Amino acid sequence: MAARVTDDERYLRACMRYTDQVYRMFIGARLINKVFARVFQSHAMGRLVIAHFEAEARTDARRPTVAWLQAQTGCGRTLAAFIGIAKVFGLVVSAANPVDRREKYLIPGRPVVEGLRDWLAHHFVFAEAIGILPTGSADRLHRDADYFERFVRSSLPVIDGIAGNRRRFGRWQWFEDRECGLRIAYAYLNAHCAACLRVSPCVDAPIWFEISGERVAQSLGVSKSHVRNVINGAEDRGILDHDLRRRRARFSVDFLAEARGSLHALLRSMADAHQRAERLPRRTRGPRG
């Protein structure tokens, strides 16, 4: 008789696959890792894509501009500089308002839209594996363009929810606030999941796992000293123990619980967005000019 798969084991396998796939999106992607070094930049771009798709679907929706995005995010010069860099690399393009050509609309470039689709699909696969989204949802993002756009239009509460959980999941948030910090956390969490599955599928158990910060730095195209500083900072805050000589680390019980809680909260907010998207009508007309 086949052994029963526990919820912990199911979560560990899904989390290991998820962290591996998301981390691989950034391996060797020096440009993306530089432009989207911090979470606020990703969230700002997410708001831009949401507003763009909303404007494509509804004639009464306002198209995004730099000023509008600054008002939405509360960021001023930092946001303007980020958009300027994104334009240089073709991640965002501008289009003149036909009524007032002094106003420039922001349009997400194809690499941003396709990158978002892939990023969402990895989360959907995770959510399907632990029963939060129906099977086939991830595949639908790629084969049904209309569903993808409806989901994106419905996903502003996902971004707002992440911001609202800053205090609730402070240890996880600490990584998000560091440059490439979340990507570093993915690499370490992936190694933790793999080690747990080899020993015992107990998701929140502190367990030593082997990992090379130098290899993580090379993969992401960041300096070894930066990864070392992030890990040292995490150790100072009780997030993990780090054995540099043996190239291994061990997360604290509190951090592992927060990581699981934060990921569950994110996936459930995506499931809510999926339900909102299902209630939106399919778009039957062409893009607005």
Side-chain angles (χ1 to χ4, degrees), residues 62-134:
R62 177 176 178 176
R63 290 193 177 274
T65 63
V66 172
W68 175 86
L69 200 56
Q70 287 173 323
Q72 296 297 310
T73 61
C75 299
R77 293 181 181 178
T78 303
L79 190 282
F82 163 63
I83 293 297
I85 294 172
K87 286 181 179 179
V88 169
F89 292 106
L91 302 176
V92 174
V93 296
S94 296
N97 181 341
V99 178
D100 182 358
R101 299 191 66 82
R102 294 171 299 177
E103 183 178 56
K104 302 295 183 182
Y105 298 140
L106 298 176
I107 301 174
R110 183 178 179 83
V112 167
V113 174
E114 293 307 313
L116 174 61
R117 194 195 309 268
D118 290 340
W119 183 83
L120 287 173
H122 294 324
H123 286 74
F124 274 35
V125 169
F126 191 178
E128 289 178 37
I130 59 177
I132 291 178
L133 274 175

Side-chain angles (χ1 to χ4, degrees), residues 6-263:
T6 66
D7 288 343
D8 276 358
E9 185 176 357
R10 186 176 294 107
Y11 168 80
L12 282 168
R13 292 191 183 282
C15 187
M16 185 170 68
R17 178 178 179 178
Y18 160 77
T19 50
D20 178 66
Q21 289 181 327
V22 174
Y23 182 74
R24 286 179 182 276
M25 292 181 67
F26 302 106
I27 291 179
R30 291 175 180 266
L31 171 61
I32 296 300
N33 288 330
K34 187 65 177 177
V35 176
F36 296 97
R38 297 183 184 274
V39 169
F40 99 86
Q41 296 155 333
S42 297
H43 289 184
M45 189 63 75
R47 291 179 187 275
L48 192 161
V49 178
I50 292 168
H52 170 73
F53 281 155
E54 192 70 10
E56 289 286 289
R58 293 174 41 222
T59 57
D60 61 338
R62 177 176 178 176
R63 290 193 177 274
T65 63
V66 172
W68 175 86
L69 200 56
Q70 287 173 323
Q72 296 297 310
T73 61
C75 299
R77 293 181 181 178
T78 303
L79 190 282
F82 163 63
I83 293 297
I85 294 172
K87 286 181 179 179
V88 169
F89 292 106
L91 302 176
V92 174
V93 296
S94 296
N97 181 341
V99 178
D100 182 358
R101 299 191 66 82
R102 294 171 299 177
E103 183 178 56
K104 302 295 183 182
Y105 298 140
L106 298 176
I107 301 174
R110 183 178 179 83
V112 167
V113 174
E114 293 307 313
L116 174 61
R117 194 195 309 268
D118 290 340
W119 183 83
L120 287 173
H122 294 324
H123 286 74
F124 274 35
V125 169
F126 191 178
E128 289 178 37
I130 59 177
I132 291 178
L133 274 175
T135 301
S137 298
D139 179 64
R140 192 176 172 192
L141 285 171
H142 289 285
R143 63 177 171 79
D144 187 343
D146 187 81
Y147 169 72
F148 169 64
E149 292 190 12
R150 284 186 285 119
F151 179 85
V152 172
R153 289 171 57 203
S154 303
S155 62
L156 187 58
V158 175
I159 296 177
D160 290 339
I162 295 173
N165 281 328
R166 291 180 65 88
R167 291 186 179 180
R168 184 181 174 193
F169 305 114
R171 294 173 182 84
W172 184 258
Q173 185 63 47
W174 186 86
F175 276 110
E176 290 192 346
D177 289 340
R178 311 274 83 73
E179 182 176 334
C180 287
L182 200 53
R183 287 150 216 183
I184 296 170
Y186 284 146
Y188 277 67
L189 187 57
N190 180 267
H192 162 80
C193 291
C196 276
L197 286 167
R198 285 194 297 269
V199 179
S200 173
C202 184
V203 64
D204 294 335
I207 184 171
W208 288 105
F209 54 87
E210 295 181 358
I211 191 164
S212 168
E214 181 178 353
R215 184 172 298 174
V216 172
Q218 291 173 345
S219 296
L220 296 176
V222 299
S223 69
K224 291 182 290 185
S225 62
H226 176 68
V227 173
R228 184 169 57 249
N229 289 339
V230 170
I231 296 306
N232 288 343
E235 187 168 26
D236 290 343
R237 286 158 181 79
I239 291 172
L240 56 75
D241 297 317
H242 188 218
D243 185 341
L244 181 60
R245 184 173 61 86
R246 297 185 179 182
R247 293 191 173 188
R248 64 179 189 170
R250 177 176 62 186
F251 283 122
S252 70
V253 174
D254 290 340
F255 173 78
L256 291 170
E258 277 199 15
R260 190 176 193 178
S262 178
L263 290 171

